[in-house]
PDB file of all heavy atoms in Angstrom:
ATOM      1  N   ILE A 371       1.907  -7.665 -15.262  1.00 96.00           N
ATOM      2  CA  ILE A 371       2.603  -8.720 -14.516  1.00 96.00           C
ATOM      3  C   ILE A 371       1.599  -9.742 -13.984  1.00 96.00           C
ATOM      4  O   ILE A 371       1.826 -10.958 -14.064  1.00 96.00           O
ATOM      5  CB  ILE A 371       3.444  -8.111 -13.370  1.00 96.00           C
ATOM      6  CG1 ILE A 371       4.607  -7.301 -13.961  1.00 96.00           C
ATOM      7  CG2 ILE A 371       3.970  -9.192 -12.436  1.00 96.00           C
ATOM      8  CD1 ILE A 371       5.401  -6.510 -12.936  1.00 96.00           C
ATOM      9  N   LEU A 372       0.476  -9.280 -13.464  1.00 96.00           N
ATOM     10  CA  LEU A 372      -0.569 -10.201 -12.998  1.00 96.00           C
ATOM     11  C   LEU A 372      -1.059 -11.089 -14.142  1.00 96.00           C
ATOM     12  O   LEU A 372      -1.371 -12.267 -13.945  1.00 96.00           O
ATOM     13  CB  LEU A 372      -1.757  -9.421 -12.423  1.00 96.00           C
ATOM     14  CG  LEU A 372      -1.550  -8.697 -11.094  1.00 96.00           C
ATOM     15  CD1 LEU A 372      -2.790  -7.866 -10.752  1.00 96.00           C
ATOM     16  CD2 LEU A 372      -1.257  -9.686  -9.982  1.00 96.00           C
ATOM     17  N   GLY A 373      -1.127 -10.514 -15.348  1.00 95.00           N
ATOM     18  CA  GLY A 373      -1.645 -11.246 -16.495  1.00 95.00           C
ATOM     19  C   GLY A 373      -0.617 -12.043 -17.265  1.00 95.00           C
ATOM     20  O   GLY A 373      -0.948 -12.678 -18.271  1.00 95.00           O
ATOM     21  N   GLY A 374       0.636 -12.022 -16.820  1.00 94.00           N
ATOM     22  CA  GLY A 374       1.665 -12.794 -17.499  1.00 94.00           C
ATOM     23  C   GLY A 374       2.157 -12.178 -18.792  1.00 94.00           C
ATOM     24  O   GLY A 374       2.797 -12.855 -19.595  1.00 94.00           O
ATOM     25  N   LEU A 375       1.870 -10.881 -19.012  1.00 93.00           N
ATOM     26  CA  LEU A 375       2.336 -10.198 -20.214  1.00 93.00           C
ATOM     27  C   LEU A 375       3.706  -9.561 -20.013  1.00 93.00           C
ATOM     28  O   LEU A 375       4.368  -9.189 -20.973  1.00 93.00           O
ATOM     29  CB  LEU A 375       1.334  -9.112 -20.629  1.00 93.00           C
ATOM     30  CG  LEU A 375      -0.051  -9.599 -21.053  1.00 93.00           C
ATOM     31  CD1 LEU A 375      -0.982  -8.403 -21.257  1.00 93.00           C
ATOM     32  CD2 LEU A 375       0.025 -10.437 -22.316  1.00 93.00           C
ATOM     33  N   ASP A 376       4.117  -9.422 -18.748  1.00 93.00           N
ATOM     34  CA  ASP A 376       5.408  -8.832 -18.423  1.00 93.00           C
ATOM     35  C   ASP A 376       5.955  -9.573 -17.205  1.00 93.00           C
ATOM     36  O   ASP A 376       5.196 -10.211 -16.452  1.00 93.00           O
ATOM     37  CB  ASP A 376       5.240  -7.330 -18.118  1.00 93.00           C
ATOM     38  CG  ASP A 376       6.540  -6.553 -18.255  1.00 93.00           C
ATOM     39  OD1 ASP A 376       7.592  -7.187 -18.509  1.00 93.00           O
ATOM     40  OD2 ASP A 376       6.507  -5.324 -18.106  1.00 93.00           O
ATOM     41  N   ARG A 377       7.258  -9.493 -17.014  1.00 94.00           N
ATOM     42  CA  ARG A 377       7.894 -10.190 -15.897  1.00 94.00           C
ATOM     43  C   ARG A 377       8.376  -9.189 -14.861  1.00 94.00           C
ATOM     44  O   ARG A 377       8.861  -8.096 -15.200  1.00 94.00           O
ATOM     45  CB  ARG A 377       9.064 -11.031 -16.392  1.00 94.00           C
ATOM     46  CG  ARG A 377       8.688 -12.048 -17.445  1.00 94.00           C
ATOM     47  CD  ARG A 377       9.745 -13.113 -17.579  1.00 94.00           C
ATOM     48  NE  ARG A 377       9.729 -14.010 -16.444  1.00 94.00           N
ATOM     49  CZ  ARG A 377       9.444 -15.306 -16.519  1.00 94.00           C
ATOM     50  NH1 ARG A 377       9.142 -15.866 -17.665  1.00 94.00           N
ATOM     51  NH2 ARG A 377       9.440 -16.055 -15.438  1.00 94.00           N
ATOM     52  N   ALA A 378       8.245  -9.569 -13.592  1.00 95.00           N
ATOM     53  CA  ALA A 378       8.707  -8.712 -12.504  1.00 95.00           C
ATOM     54  C   ALA A 378      10.225  -8.743 -12.414  1.00 95.00           C
ATOM     55  O   ALA A 378      10.864  -9.742 -12.754  1.00 95.00           O
ATOM     56  CB  ALA A 378       8.088  -9.174 -11.193  1.00 95.00           C
ATOM     57  N   THR A 379      10.810  -7.648 -11.948  1.00 95.00           N
ATOM     58  CA  THR A 379      12.242  -7.613 -11.656  1.00 95.00           C
ATOM     59  C   THR A 379      12.531  -8.322 -10.338  1.00 95.00           C
ATOM     60  O   THR A 379      13.534  -9.020 -10.191  1.00 95.00           O
ATOM     61  CB  THR A 379      12.728  -6.152 -11.589  1.00 95.00           C
ATOM     62  OG1 THR A 379      12.391  -5.485 -12.812  1.00 95.00           O
ATOM     63  CG2 THR A 379      14.230  -6.076 -11.378  1.00 95.00           C
ATOM     64  N   ALA A 380      11.622  -8.153  -9.383  1.00 96.00           N
ATOM     65  CA  ALA A 380      11.746  -8.818  -8.076  1.00 96.00           C
ATOM     66  C   ALA A 380      10.367  -8.872  -7.442  1.00 96.00           C
ATOM     67  O   ALA A 380       9.438  -8.167  -7.853  1.00 96.00           O
ATOM     68  CB  ALA A 380      12.732  -8.065  -7.187  1.00 96.00           C
ATOM     69  N   GLY A 381      10.223  -9.731  -6.425  1.00 96.00           N
ATOM     70  CA  GLY A 381       8.953  -9.841  -5.722  1.00 96.00           C
ATOM     71  C   GLY A 381       8.234 -11.138  -6.016  1.00 96.00           C
ATOM     72  O   GLY A 381       8.742 -12.011  -6.737  1.00 96.00           O
ATOM     73  N   TYR A 382       7.018 -11.251  -5.476  1.00 96.00           N
ATOM     74  CA  TYR A 382       6.268 -12.506  -5.499  1.00 96.00           C
ATOM     75  C   TYR A 382       4.836 -12.231  -5.937  1.00 96.00           C
ATOM     76  O   TYR A 382       4.174 -11.320  -5.423  1.00 96.00           O
ATOM     77  CB  TYR A 382       6.285 -13.109  -4.090  1.00 96.00           C
ATOM     78  CG  TYR A 382       5.404 -14.311  -3.874  1.00 96.00           C
ATOM     79  CD1 TYR A 382       5.867 -15.602  -4.112  1.00 96.00           C
ATOM     80  CD2 TYR A 382       4.101 -14.161  -3.381  1.00 96.00           C
ATOM     81  CE1 TYR A 382       5.066 -16.715  -3.872  1.00 96.00           C
ATOM     82  CE2 TYR A 382       3.288 -15.257  -3.140  1.00 96.00           C
ATOM     83  CZ  TYR A 382       3.777 -16.532  -3.384  1.00 96.00           C
ATOM     84  OH  TYR A 382       2.981 -17.622  -3.160  1.00 96.00           O
ATOM     85  N   VAL A 383       4.348 -13.005  -6.905  1.00 97.00           N
ATOM     86  CA  VAL A 383       2.951 -12.908  -7.355  1.00 97.00           C
ATOM     87  C   VAL A 383       2.366 -14.308  -7.439  1.00 97.00           C
ATOM     88  O   VAL A 383       2.902 -15.177  -8.138  1.00 97.00           O
ATOM     89  CB  VAL A 383       2.844 -12.227  -8.738  1.00 97.00           C
ATOM     90  CG1 VAL A 383       1.390 -12.257  -9.228  1.00 97.00           C
ATOM     91  CG2 VAL A 383       3.343 -10.796  -8.686  1.00 97.00           C
ATOM     92  N   LYS A 384       1.261 -14.514  -6.740  1.00 97.00           N
ATOM     93  CA  LYS A 384       0.550 -15.794  -6.796  1.00 97.00           C
ATOM     94  C   LYS A 384      -0.893 -15.529  -7.215  1.00 97.00           C
ATOM     95  O   LYS A 384      -1.569 -14.686  -6.620  1.00 97.00           O
ATOM     96  CB  LYS A 384       0.586 -16.481  -5.431  1.00 97.00           C
ATOM     97  CG  LYS A 384       0.034 -17.898  -5.430  1.00 97.00           C
ATOM     98  CD  LYS A 384       0.195 -18.517  -4.049  1.00 97.00           C
ATOM     99  CE  LYS A 384      -0.271 -19.959  -4.020  1.00 97.00           C
ATOM    100  NZ  LYS A 384      -0.111 -20.557  -2.675  1.00 97.00           N
ATOM    101  N   VAL A 385      -1.341 -16.227  -8.261  1.00 96.00           N
ATOM    102  CA  VAL A 385      -2.696 -16.053  -8.783  1.00 96.00           C
ATOM    103  C   VAL A 385      -3.368 -17.419  -8.856  1.00 96.00           C
ATOM    104  O   VAL A 385      -2.930 -18.288  -9.613  1.00 96.00           O
ATOM    105  CB  VAL A 385      -2.671 -15.398 -10.188  1.00 96.00           C
ATOM    106  CG1 VAL A 385      -4.081 -15.302 -10.753  1.00 96.00           C
ATOM    107  CG2 VAL A 385      -2.024 -14.017 -10.136  1.00 96.00           C
ATOM    108  N   PHE A 386      -4.404 -17.628  -8.051  1.00 94.00           N
ATOM    109  CA  PHE A 386      -5.133 -18.899  -8.027  1.00 94.00           C
ATOM    110  C   PHE A 386      -4.173 -20.096  -7.976  1.00 94.00           C
ATOM    111  O   PHE A 386      -4.172 -20.959  -8.846  1.00 94.00           O
ATOM    112  CB  PHE A 386      -6.067 -19.006  -9.243  1.00 94.00           C
ATOM    113  CG  PHE A 386      -7.281 -18.135  -9.130  1.00 94.00           C
ATOM    114  CD1 PHE A 386      -7.324 -16.903  -9.759  1.00 94.00           C
ATOM    115  CD2 PHE A 386      -8.375 -18.523  -8.385  1.00 94.00           C
ATOM    116  CE1 PHE A 386      -8.433 -16.080  -9.644  1.00 94.00           C
ATOM    117  CE2 PHE A 386      -9.496 -17.718  -8.262  1.00 94.00           C
ATOM    118  CZ  PHE A 386      -9.527 -16.497  -8.888  1.00 94.00           C
ATOM    119  N   GLU A 387      -3.357 -20.109  -6.938  1.00 91.00           N
ATOM    120  CA  GLU A 387      -2.422 -21.214  -6.665  1.00 91.00           C
ATOM    121  C   GLU A 387      -1.267 -21.313  -7.659  1.00 91.00           C
ATOM    122  O   GLU A 387      -0.445 -22.226  -7.564  1.00 91.00           O
ATOM    123  CB  GLU A 387      -3.158 -22.572  -6.601  1.00 91.00           C
ATOM    124  CG  GLU A 387      -4.313 -22.622  -5.606  1.00 91.00           C
ATOM    125  CD  GLU A 387      -3.878 -22.185  -4.207  1.00 91.00           C
ATOM    126  OE1 GLU A 387      -2.802 -22.599  -3.761  1.00 91.00           O
ATOM    127  OE2 GLU A 387      -4.620 -21.411  -3.574  1.00 91.00           O
ATOM    128  N   THR A 388      -1.174 -20.406  -8.618  1.00 95.00           N
ATOM    129  CA  THR A 388      -0.047 -20.400  -9.562  1.00 95.00           C
ATOM    130  C   THR A 388       0.921 -19.290  -9.178  1.00 95.00           C
ATOM    131  O   THR A 388       0.536 -18.121  -9.100  1.00 95.00           O
ATOM    132  CB  THR A 388      -0.532 -20.167 -11.008  1.00 95.00           C
ATOM    133  OG1 THR A 388      -1.402 -21.230 -11.393  1.00 95.00           O
ATOM    134  CG2 THR A 388       0.647 -20.114 -11.970  1.00 95.00           C
ATOM    135  N   GLU A 389       2.175 -19.651  -8.938  1.00 96.00           N
ATOM    136  CA  GLU A 389       3.197 -18.660  -8.627  1.00 96.00           C
ATOM    137  C   GLU A 389       3.714 -18.083  -9.946  1.00 96.00           C
ATOM    138  O   GLU A 389       4.614 -18.633 -10.583  1.00 96.00           O
ATOM    139  CB  GLU A 389       4.340 -19.285  -7.821  1.00 96.00           C
ATOM    140  CG  GLU A 389       5.269 -18.242  -7.234  1.00 96.00           C
ATOM    141  CD  GLU A 389       6.338 -18.853  -6.344  1.00 96.00           C
ATOM    142  OE1 GLU A 389       6.065 -19.880  -5.688  1.00 96.00           O
ATOM    143  OE2 GLU A 389       7.457 -18.296  -6.322  1.00 96.00           O
ATOM    144  N   VAL A 390       3.104 -16.988 -10.359  1.00 96.00           N
ATOM    145  CA  VAL A 390       3.355 -16.405 -11.683  1.00 96.00           C
ATOM    146  C   VAL A 390       4.813 -15.985 -11.849  1.00 96.00           C
ATOM    147  O   VAL A 390       5.399 -16.134 -12.926  1.00 96.00           O
ATOM    148  CB  VAL A 390       2.417 -15.213 -11.936  1.00 96.00           C
ATOM    149  CG1 VAL A 390       2.677 -14.589 -13.302  1.00 96.00           C
ATOM    150  CG2 VAL A 390       0.963 -15.643 -11.813  1.00 96.00           C
ATOM    151  N   THR A 391       5.416 -15.477 -10.786  1.00 95.00           N
ATOM    152  CA  THR A 391       6.782 -14.953 -10.874  1.00 95.00           C
ATOM    153  C   THR A 391       7.822 -16.045 -11.076  1.00 95.00           C
ATOM    154  O   THR A 391       8.980 -15.742 -11.373  1.00 95.00           O
ATOM    155  CB  THR A 391       7.114 -14.142  -9.607  1.00 95.00           C
ATOM    156  OG1 THR A 391       6.500 -14.752  -8.463  1.00 95.00           O
ATOM    157  CG2 THR A 391       6.608 -12.717  -9.723  1.00 95.00           C
ATOM    158  N   SER A 392       7.438 -17.306 -10.960  1.00 95.00           N
ATOM    159  CA  SER A 392       8.409 -18.382 -11.156  1.00 95.00           C
ATOM    160  C   SER A 392       8.162 -19.178 -12.448  1.00 95.00           C
ATOM    161  O   SER A 392       8.849 -20.159 -12.709  1.00 95.00           O
ATOM    162  CB  SER A 392       8.381 -19.351  -9.960  1.00 95.00           C
ATOM    163  OG  SER A 392       7.131 -20.031  -9.888  1.00 95.00           O
ATOM    164  N   LEU A 393       7.195 -18.749 -13.258  1.00 95.00           N
ATOM    165  CA  LEU A 393       6.859 -19.494 -14.472  1.00 95.00           C
ATOM    166  C   LEU A 393       7.884 -19.275 -15.579  1.00 95.00           C
ATOM    167  O   LEU A 393       8.369 -18.164 -15.783  1.00 95.00           O
ATOM    168  CB  LEU A 393       5.471 -19.082 -14.988  1.00 95.00           C
ATOM    169  CG  LEU A 393       4.262 -19.430 -14.109  1.00 95.00           C
ATOM    170  CD1 LEU A 393       2.986 -18.930 -14.771  1.00 95.00           C
ATOM    171  CD2 LEU A 393       4.179 -20.920 -13.834  1.00 95.00           C
ATOM    172  N   ALA A 394       8.173 -20.344 -16.314  1.00 94.00           N
ATOM    173  CA  ALA A 394       9.017 -20.255 -17.509  1.00 94.00           C
ATOM    174  C   ALA A 394       8.205 -19.644 -18.648  1.00 94.00           C
ATOM    175  O   ALA A 394       6.967 -19.615 -18.588  1.00 94.00           O
ATOM    176  CB  ALA A 394       9.501 -21.650 -17.897  1.00 94.00           C
ATOM    177  N   PRO A 395       8.855 -19.144 -19.717  1.00 92.00           N
ATOM    178  CA  PRO A 395       8.125 -18.497 -20.824  1.00 92.00           C
ATOM    179  C   PRO A 395       7.003 -19.348 -21.410  1.00 92.00           C
ATOM    180  O   PRO A 395       5.901 -18.830 -21.655  1.00 92.00           O
ATOM    181  CB  PRO A 395       9.230 -18.236 -21.856  1.00 92.00           C
ATOM    182  CG  PRO A 395      10.464 -18.055 -21.034  1.00 92.00           C
ATOM    183  CD  PRO A 395      10.315 -19.014 -19.887  1.00 92.00           C
ATOM    184  N   ASP A 396       7.232 -20.652 -21.650  1.00 92.00           N
ATOM    185  CA  ASP A 396       6.168 -21.492 -22.218  1.00 92.00           C
ATOM    186  C   ASP A 396       5.038 -21.703 -21.222  1.00 92.00           C
ATOM    187  O   ASP A 396       3.875 -21.828 -21.604  1.00 92.00           O
ATOM    188  CB  ASP A 396       6.737 -22.831 -22.701  1.00 92.00           C
ATOM    189  CG  ASP A 396       7.427 -23.603 -21.584  1.00 92.00           C
ATOM    190  OD1 ASP A 396       7.955 -22.962 -20.652  1.00 92.00           O
ATOM    191  OD2 ASP A 396       7.434 -24.847 -21.630  1.00 92.00           O
ATOM    192  N   GLU A 397       5.364 -21.725 -19.927  1.00 95.00           N
ATOM    193  CA  GLU A 397       4.330 -21.859 -18.896  1.00 95.00           C
ATOM    194  C   GLU A 397       3.496 -20.582 -18.797  1.00 95.00           C
ATOM    195  O   GLU A 397       2.295 -20.640 -18.505  1.00 95.00           O
ATOM    196  CB  GLU A 397       4.977 -22.170 -17.546  1.00 95.00           C
ATOM    197  CG  GLU A 397       5.636 -23.530 -17.473  1.00 95.00           C
ATOM    198  CD  GLU A 397       6.416 -23.743 -16.185  1.00 95.00           C
ATOM    199  OE1 GLU A 397       7.065 -22.790 -15.704  1.00 95.00           O
ATOM    200  OE2 GLU A 397       6.374 -24.879 -15.666  1.00 95.00           O
ATOM    201  N   LEU A 398       4.128 -19.440 -19.041  1.00 94.00           N
ATOM    202  CA  LEU A 398       3.387 -18.172 -19.026  1.00 94.00           C
ATOM    203  C   LEU A 398       2.346 -18.139 -20.142  1.00 94.00           C
ATOM    204  O   LEU A 398       1.244 -17.616 -19.955  1.00 94.00           O
ATOM    205  CB  LEU A 398       4.345 -16.986 -19.186  1.00 94.00           C
ATOM    206  CG  LEU A 398       5.005 -16.456 -17.921  1.00 94.00           C
ATOM    207  CD1 LEU A 398       6.034 -15.387 -18.274  1.00 94.00           C
ATOM    208  CD2 LEU A 398       3.977 -15.897 -16.950  1.00 94.00           C
ATOM    209  N   VAL A 399       2.682 -18.682 -21.308  1.00 92.00           N
ATOM    210  CA  VAL A 399       1.727 -18.739 -22.432  1.00 92.00           C
ATOM    211  C   VAL A 399       0.496 -19.528 -22.012  1.00 92.00           C
ATOM    212  O   VAL A 399      -0.653 -19.097 -22.217  1.00 92.00           O
ATOM    213  CB  VAL A 399       2.375 -19.365 -23.680  1.00 92.00           C
ATOM    214  CG1 VAL A 399       1.324 -19.590 -24.766  1.00 92.00           C
ATOM    215  CG2 VAL A 399       3.493 -18.471 -24.210  1.00 92.00           C
TER     216      VAL A 399
END
């Protein structure tokens, strides 16, 4: 989940100013 290889069911993850849990699939790439 931290690496953007899987998506969380719930919760909040922020990595270097990027809110990973809110990224769209193309943004995750």
